[in-house]
């Protein structure tokens, strides 16, 4: 009887903790994040500051890594060019993830002429200009001037002598649910071909990684690294995939088979509808007089039109899934010394490339403001420069003897 009571108590405690976690996250990620309010009177000048440079005074490693991350560039040319045409109401839906703080959101609104001014007391802790730094430390770690974070990895006790009174420990910082607010479209979000635009959390939740206890942070914040590497990082993507090239001869024909497997990625690859992966087989004779021949090419990704209305295809790989690409050649088609190459290219911003190009080509018809055009040109250039070669595998093919 006692064992049964203890078992029931454990279940109740577990459910209670789960509910508290959900309640904390719901409060923590209010949209927008409420303004911080009056500064605690005993805070020093440095303690009161919420701009990243000030945080970096003590949290040097976290600041340096954040500064290199995409989180520090959520308010960049790619979103700034759109603001004049969006207007405040539509822009707020973007700011939900790109600039969640009330203060930074208001600064951006003032920049666009949507608001006349902002409370001057904000400048005492979060100076104007910070809004251009994207997701600053306070977006995740500060509410009402109180600091929050994951359990400390060293034994320490917060006191009134600890800078900013220490921090409130919340285990949710180490859970995938913490990332869900910005990496999962709400249930009420737009549906295209039965799917929301972002379902990364749901994809992870049904994967073996969730069952094994591997969280978003385990892969994207190893050792609490604040770089949040993803599709833009070549090494990160390579470590998540397995690639093979197999060439063999049969019945006077040469067969080439390439395979790409999502091995260590806990959600669909690539995530969202923005990136695309191109995998191709190429025959290269190595002769200067002959151009390489494209034998086969496949696109991996979710292709949605630039108006976000229609999906043409979705070939993304689920965790553990593979894509195979094949080509067959007659031996007499192949010059001696020829090689077959398997190339895999990544375009992290493919959908944005199409969208930005369309808007530039139709700037007059779309009545783009003179302010938006140069920012749009910069955004397109940045997206194109982010493309990279992920893998190249090659193997020599024995062709017929020279005559």
């Amino acid at each position: 009887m006692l064992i049964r009571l203890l078992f029931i108590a454990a279940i109740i405690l577990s459910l209670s903790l789960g509910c508290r976690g959900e309640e904390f996250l719901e409060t923590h990620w209010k949209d927008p994040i409420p303004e911080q309010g009056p500064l605690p009177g005993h805070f020093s000048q440095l303690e009161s500051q919420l701009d990243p440079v000030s945080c970096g005074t003590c949290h040097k490693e976290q600041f340096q890594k954040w500064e290199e991350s995409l989180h520090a560039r959520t308010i960049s040319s790619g979103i700034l060019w759109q603001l004049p045409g969006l207007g405040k109401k539509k822009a707020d839906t973007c700011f939900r993830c790109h600039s969640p703080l009330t203060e930074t959101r208001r600064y951006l609104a003032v920049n666009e002429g949507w608001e006349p001014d902002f409370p001057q007391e904000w400048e005492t802790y979060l100076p104007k200009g910070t809004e251009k730094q994207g997701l600053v430390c306070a977006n995740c770690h500060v509410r009402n001037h109180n600091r929050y974070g994951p359990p400390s990895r060293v034994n320490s006790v917060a006191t009134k002598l600890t800078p900013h009174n220490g921090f409130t420990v919340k285990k949710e910082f180490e859970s995938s649910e913490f990332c869900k607010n910005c990496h999962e479209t709400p249930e009420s979000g737009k549906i295209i071909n039965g799917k929301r635009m972002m379902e990364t959390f749901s994809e992870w939740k049904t994967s073996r990684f969730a069952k094994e206890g591997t969280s978003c942070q385990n892969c994207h914040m190893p050792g609490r690294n604040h770089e949040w590497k993803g599709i833009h990082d070549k090494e990160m993507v390579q470590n998540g995939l397995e690639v093979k090239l197999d060439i063999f001869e049969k019945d006077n024909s040469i067969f080439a088979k390439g395979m790409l497997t999502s091995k260590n990625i806990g959600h669909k690859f690539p995530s969202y509808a923005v990136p695309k992966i191109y995998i191709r087989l190429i025959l290269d004779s190595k002769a200067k007089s002959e151009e390489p021949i494209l034998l086969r090419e496949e696109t991996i990704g979710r292709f949605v039109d630039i108006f976000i209305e229609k999906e043409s295809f979705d070939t993304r790989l689920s965790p553990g899934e593979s894509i195979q690409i094949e080509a067959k050649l007659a031996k007499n088609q192949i010059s001696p010394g020829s090689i077959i190459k398997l190339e895999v290219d990544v375009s992290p911003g493919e959908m944005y490339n199409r969208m930005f190009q369309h808007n530039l080509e139709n700037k007059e018809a779309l009545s783009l403001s003179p302010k938006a055009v140069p920012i749009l040109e910069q955004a397109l250039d940045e997206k194109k420069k982010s493309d990279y070669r992920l893998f190249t595998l090659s193997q020599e093919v024995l062709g017929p003897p020279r005559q």
Side-chain angles (χ1 to χ4, degrees):
M1 182 68 177
L2 178 61
I3 293 174
R4 184 182 178 188
L5 289 173
L6 288 172
F7 179 69
I8 293 172
I11 292 175
I12 293 172
L13 178 61
S14 174
L15 291 172
S16 173
L17 289 173
C19 292
R20 284 182 207 156
E22 290 174 8
E23 184 180 337
F24 165 73
L25 290 174
E26 186 176 341
T27 303
H28 196 73
W29 290 121
K30 279 185 178 178
D31 178 35
I33 295 168
E35 66 177 280
Q36 299 299 320
L39 278 165
H42 62 281
F43 271 21
S44 68
Q45 175 65 21
L46 180 59
E47 284 176 296
S48 68
Q49 298 304 300
L50 299 184
D51 63 287
V53 173
S54 296
C55 298
T57 304
C58 296
H59 304 282
K60 291 182 173 64
E61 182 181 350
Q62 289 88 344
F63 170 73
Q64 289 168 359
K65 296 298 186 183
W66 164 84
E67 200 172 27
E68 300 167 7
S69 75
L70 288 179
H71 278 192
R73 300 197 291 279
T74 58
I75 299 298
S76 61
S77 56
I79 193 167
L80 287 173
W81 79 266
Q82 301 181 60
L83 297 183
L86 284 174
K88 186 177 185 302
K89 186 174 181 180
K90 287 184 178 178
D92 275 340
T93 64
C94 303
F95 293 157
R96 175 178 174 269
C97 293
H98 285 259
S99 189
L101 293 172
T102 289
E103 292 89 343
T104 56
R105 191 178 293 195
R106 180 73 168 266
Y107 290 156
L108 287 163
V110 171
N111 293 344
E112 294 299 321
W114 300 332
E115 296 282 356
D117 210 344
F118 55 88
Q120 290 303 306
E121 58 266 26
W122 290 357
E123 291 248 44
T124 62
Y125 60 85
L126 194 69
K128 193 172 189 310
T130 309
E131 74 276 8
K132 297 176 183 177
Q133 295 180 292
L135 291 175
V136 298
C137 316
N139 283 287
C140 291
H141 292 287
V142 186
R143 300 291 183 272
N144 194 29
H145 294 291
N146 296 310
R147 272 62 173 178
Y148 294 83
S152 176
R153 291 180 292 186
V154 296
N155 294 322
S156 61
V157 178
T159 69
K160 287 192 175 181
L161 298 177
T162 308
H164 47 68
N165 295 344
F167 69 98
T168 301
V169 173
K170 287 294 180 181
K171 61 182 178 57
E172 287 81 10
F173 275 80
E174 296 183 313
S175 71
S176 293
E177 282 78 3
F178 191 85
C179 310
K180 179 182 177 182
N181 187 69
C182 288
H183 294 276
E184 178 98 352
T185 300
E187 292 290 340
S188 59
K190 189 170 187 175
I191 302 292
I192 300 177
N193 198 22
K195 300 178 290 250
R196 289 167 289 154
M197 287 302 290
M198 293 188 293
E199 296 184 328
T200 313
F201 175 79
S202 298
E203 292 160 9
W204 165 83
K205 198 169 184 180
T206 57
S207 74
R208 68 171 178 86
F209 296 89
K211 297 178 178 66
E212 294 169 1
T214 301
S215 68
C216 306
Q217 291 87 336
N218 291 138
C219 295
H220 295 283
M221 293 186 71
R224 298 187 178 175
N225 186 306
H226 279 55
E227 287 178 305
W228 300 282
K229 290 182 177 179
I231 192 68
H232 290 78
D233 187 80
K234 181 175 180 177
E235 183 180 5
M236 174 82 175
V237 180
Q238 284 179 334
N239 289 337
L241 301 167
E242 183 177 79
V243 62
K244 294 180 181 179
L245 173 62
D246 184 26
I247 298 174
F248 58 93
E249 180 181 341
K250 183 180 178 182
D251 299 330
N252 287 319
S253 295
I254 298 295
F255 293 84
K257 290 186 179 182
M259 182 178 289
L260 189 71
T261 302
S262 176
K263 192 173 182 181
N264 299 310
I265 300 174
H267 48 76
K268 287 190 176 182
F269 173 77
S271 190
Y272 312 152
V274 176
K276 300 294 180 295
I277 314 299
Y278 304 100
I279 179 170
R280 62 182 70 91
L281 288 169
I282 294 172
L283 175 65
D284 190 348
S285 70
K286 291 189 174 180
K288 291 183 180 179
S289 59
E290 297 182 32
E291 291 290 325
I293 299 171
L294 177 63
L295 302 175
R296 184 79 183 275
E297 181 178 52
E298 297 289 347
T299 301
I300 308 170
R302 184 184 182 191
F303 196 95
V304 174
D305 71 289
I306 61 171
F307 305 106
I308 314 178
E309 296 291 342
K310 182 180 178 182
E311 175 187 292
S312 298
F313 60 81
D314 187 351
T315 55
R316 292 175 297 164
L317 303 178
S318 296
E321 191 177 5
S322 300
I323 183 172
Q324 187 165 289
I325 185 168
E326 301 180 7
K328 177 184 177 183
L329 293 164
K331 284 184 67 176
N332 58 14
Q333 290 180 280
I334 305 171
S335 304
S338 294
I339 61 171
I340 289 180
K341 294 191 293 185
L342 176 69
E343 294 180 347
V344 182
D345 287 345
V346 178
S347 180
E350 183 278 332
M351 183 177 174
Y352 292 143
N353 289 346
R354 282 184 286 126
M355 183 184 294
F356 296 173
Q357 188 70 51
H358 170 84
N359 280 271
L360 270 178
E361 291 173 354
N362 298 276
K363 58 187 177 183
E364 287 84 10
L366 295 170
S367 301
L368 291 188
S369 73
K371 175 185 174 182
V373 173
I375 305 174
L376 174 55
E377 290 173 338
Q378 179 186 347
L380 179 59
D381 184 58
E382 289 172 354
K383 293 302 177 188
K384 286 181 176 179
K385 286 179 179 177
S386 69
D387 294 356
Y388 62 91
R389 173 66 46 83
L390 182 63
F391 294 112
T392 301
L393 275 62
S394 61
Q395 187 172 326
E396 187 168 330
V397 185
L398 295 176
R402 288 185 183 274
Q403 297 297 321

